[in-house]
Amino acid sequence: MNGDQLMDETQKREPLDVVVIGAGFAGLYMLHKLRALGMKAVVLEAAENVGGTWYWNRYPGARCDVESLEYSYSFDDALQQEWHWSERYATQPELLRYINHVADRFDLRRDIRFNTRVASAARDEQNNLWTLSSEGGETFTARYCISAVGCLSLPSLPAFKGRDSFAGRLYHTGLWPREGVDFTGLRVGVIGTGSSGVQVIPHIAQQAKHLHVFQRTPHYSVPAKNRPLDPGETARYKARYPEHREAARQSAIGIAGFPVPTQSALEVSAEERTEAYGMGWERGSTGYTRIYTDILKNEVANATASDFVKMRIQQVVRDPAVATRLTPRYMIGTKRLCLDTQYFETYNRENVVLVDVSEAPIDQITEHGIRTTAREYELDAIVMATGFDAITGALKGIDIRGSGGQSLAQKWEAGPRAYLGLMTSGFPNLFLITGPGSPSVLSNVVTSIEQHVEWIADCLAHLRQHGIARMDADLAAEDRWVQTVNEAANATLLPKGNSWYLGANVEGKPRVFMPYAGGVGNYRVVCDQVVIDGYRGFLLS
Ligand code: NAP
């Protein structure tokens, strides 16, 4: 009998303790913690292997924008000491190797069901169980269900007319073919210039015969200044790993190495600011918007940081008309800041043309390429770097039914509501790792994942110890937390950007600021205090 058959047999006899959805960073660590608690758990994963985001986003140039030594698990000192990161910012292949290494090192695969996409999750109130069904028709029953589906896992493909009529090849950066793509000699069009576009464009430009970039919004990007990691530097960092990790946990965005601003941009001279922004630019990190305390809080302060990047774009891009089209018009940081390698420089190449689709939008995809309201562009391949239905898309894509058959998608129709981003009222025993209302995408997500996984594991141990079978979020506590999330966002400029943080990138999605902007360290204190207060705001029975 193989592992799968064994699991099926087990399922017939008795329910599992926990079913986890997703085998990315979150699902793997959750499984490891559940095993340590002696719980019987299964992870259901749509892909044929582990990795989550780093499994799917294989496009050329895909690379993390948090430094490798920080964007990694901290829960096991031997793991963090033994793993060797080769570059300051890890590439997708290196990250995928790391995640595979973790799966093997902790022997996690035997409890993961691959090629198993969850279609529904239904609450059986009478028996206090969750039943999950896969698209393939298998069912899994457990006391607890834990979502580890990730915040950026459902690709968003704009519904362009004629998408199926294109005679060439069409790709999405978040669903990249495993075998890779050779663009040599091809006429390629890339739609989208967010973090994925900014990374893929320089790579395709080097291969393709010709590249058209279809840009709706010019975005801010700062150079990554990526480089190989020096062994001495790595050793010194690793020698102080516990301190660095602790600093990350207490920090605003889960990164120890970011500057902690102490001054307003408006209390220093213009020369001093220019020098600071120049240093930030040379440092190469998204910490650029954290140089002063008020870049993300005050429009005048923000303009000083925005203007510096605009000036750099004008300096890098040789054709002044192209430089102007590439110059952002919104406040820096109100859409996620991109980190690039040779992005703006790519527009100095002979074979690259920037097509501004803000005024003449894409009208349709035709058999031969892309037609904007101004003209048609003939292409052999189209790459959609059009992003994701973020934070809620993957969860709403599963037919989740809570108490009384209530649908999660319906409950969240006007925007997601969750207490601490960990549970949503009316869906007992369903936990959300990096759910809406938690710092998630506004942080080094690995730091935030570890905090949630550890909080949930401690919570499950508490429930078991006290003979508590059912846990739900109290609706009043949830409402108050949603208000806190709104207040935290409104204390910043973040809601003023037309960003995916707000759902603005998906047609028909409600405009609600979804992550918690109050900071990773502050959020941890709130979560810990809730536990100290006897799981305040949760209903335990
Ligand atoms: P994104 O930031 O949402 O960017 C999508 C791009 O597609 C935008 O330029 C958008 O234009 C454009 N677009 C969407 N629909 C369009 C349409 N109908 N016509 C023309 N243009 C259209 O998505 P992403 O680049 O995949 O990045 C998403 C997030 O994933 C990032 O913010 C980041 O958190 C994460 N990510 C991280 C890394 C990294 O670590 N380095 C790399 C990739 C992604 P508008 O701006 O006008 O909407």
Side-chain angles (χ1 to χ4, degrees), residues 54 59 63-66 152 158 160 173 191-197 199 214-217 219 335-336 339 357 362 385-388 441 498 500 505:
W54 300 107
Y59 59 84
R63 190 186 283 284
C64 191
D65 61 4
V66 177
L152 293 159
F160 295 120
T173 45
I191 305 173
T193 53
S195 301
S196 304
Q199 289 188 332
F214 295 84
Q215 172 195 269
R216 188 166 64 183
T217 306
H219 291 298
K335 282 182 167 227
R336 165 85 172 225
L339 208 58
V357 294
I362 296 172
T386 48
F388 302 87
V441 294
N498 245 343
W500 57 258
N505 63 322

Side-chain angles (χ1 to χ4, degrees), residues 53-54 57-68 71 85-97 173 194-200 202-203 206 222-229 284 286 336-342:
T53 232
W54 300 107
N57 287 269
R58 294 163 186 261
Y59 59 84
R63 190 186 283 284
C64 191
D65 61 4
V66 177
E67 296 195 36
S68 320
Y71 190 89
W85 294 106
S86 65
E87 292 178 72
R88 181 183 180 196
Y89 292 105
T91 59
Q92 174 272 334
E94 187 163 11
L95 276 156
L96 197 55
R97 277 200 300 281
T173 45
S195 301
S196 304
V198 154
Q199 289 188 332
V200 81
H203 283 258
Q206 281 173 32
V222 298
K225 306 277 174 183
N226 185 46
R227 54 179 167 75
L229 277 175
T286 54
R336 165 85 172 225
L337 179 61
C338 304
L339 208 58
D340 75 90
T341 301
Q342 299 283 303

Side-chain angles (χ1 to χ4, degrees), residues 42-244:
V42 165
V43 178
L44 306 180
E45 168 56 55
E48 60 178 13
N49 209 336
V50 296
T53 232
W54 300 107
Y55 175 90
W56 297 103
N57 287 269
R58 294 163 186 261
Y59 59 84
R63 190 186 283 284
C64 191
D65 61 4
V66 177
E67 296 195 36
S68 320
L69 287 158
E70 300 222 41
Y71 190 89
S72 47
Y73 291 116
S74 72
F75 69 82
D76 187 283
D77 191 51
L79 169 68
Q80 68 184 5
Q81 293 296 338
E82 79 195 8
W83 182 262
H84 171 73
W85 294 106
S86 65
E87 292 178 72
R88 181 183 180 196
Y89 292 105
T91 59
Q92 174 272 334
E94 187 163 11
L95 276 156
L96 197 55
R97 277 200 300 281
Y98 170 72
I99 298 170
N100 273 279
H101 167 74
V102 172
D104 293 333
R105 192 186 194 286
F106 297 99
D107 186 23
L108 299 174
R109 291 178 202 277
R110 65 188 154 88
D111 288 322
I112 306 174
R113 291 288 290 259
F114 294 107
N115 301 306
T116 305
R117 185 178 286 279
V118 176
S120 67
R123 171 103 185 126
D124 169 358
E125 199 62 60
Q126 209 172 5
N127 295 305
N128 193 29
L129 293 171
W130 279 94
T131 298
L132 281 78
S133 302
S134 74
E135 284 184 353
E138 296 155 290
T139 59
F140 302 84
T141 300
R143 168 69 59 88
Y144 301 102
C145 177
I146 302 178
S147 162
V149 297
C151 293
L152 293 159
S153 44
L154 183 67
S156 166
L157 287 137
F160 295 120
K161 275 183 289 177
R163 210 171 63 198
D164 298 335
S165 65
F166 182 53
R169 301 286 299 273
L170 198 119
Y171 306 98
H172 187 287
T173 45
L175 289 171
W176 204 256
R178 285 200 63 183
E179 63 279 13
V181 182
D182 184 4
F183 291 108
T184 309
L186 300 185
R187 297 163 304 172
V188 184
V190 173
I191 305 173
T193 53
S195 301
S196 304
V198 154
Q199 289 188 332
V200 81
I201 285 164
H203 283 258
I204 296 180
Q206 281 173 32
Q207 244 186 26
K209 183 166 144 212
H210 198 277
L211 172 63
H212 279 100
V213 176
F214 295 84
Q215 172 195 269
R216 188 166 64 183
T217 306
H219 291 298
Y220 291 96
S221 186
V222 298
K225 306 277 174 183
N226 185 46
R227 54 179 167 75
L229 277 175
D230 165 63
E233 173 193 9
T234 303
R236 281 191 298 280
Y237 193 91
K238 285 185 172 181
R240 295 181 53 205
Y241 237 144
E243 280 165 68
H244 293 309

Side-chain angles (χ1 to χ4, degrees), residues 248-285:
R249 289 181 199 115
Q250 306 299 336
S251 73
I253 52 168
I255 297 178
F258 269 18
V260 179
T262 54
Q263 281 181 304
S264 156
L266 306 177
E267 70 183 74
V268 299
S269 68
E271 293 73 37
E272 203 176 315
R273 268 197 311 262
T274 305
E275 196 187 332
Y277 291 142
M279 278 161 57
W281 181 270
E282 289 306 318
R283 196 183 306 126
S285 94

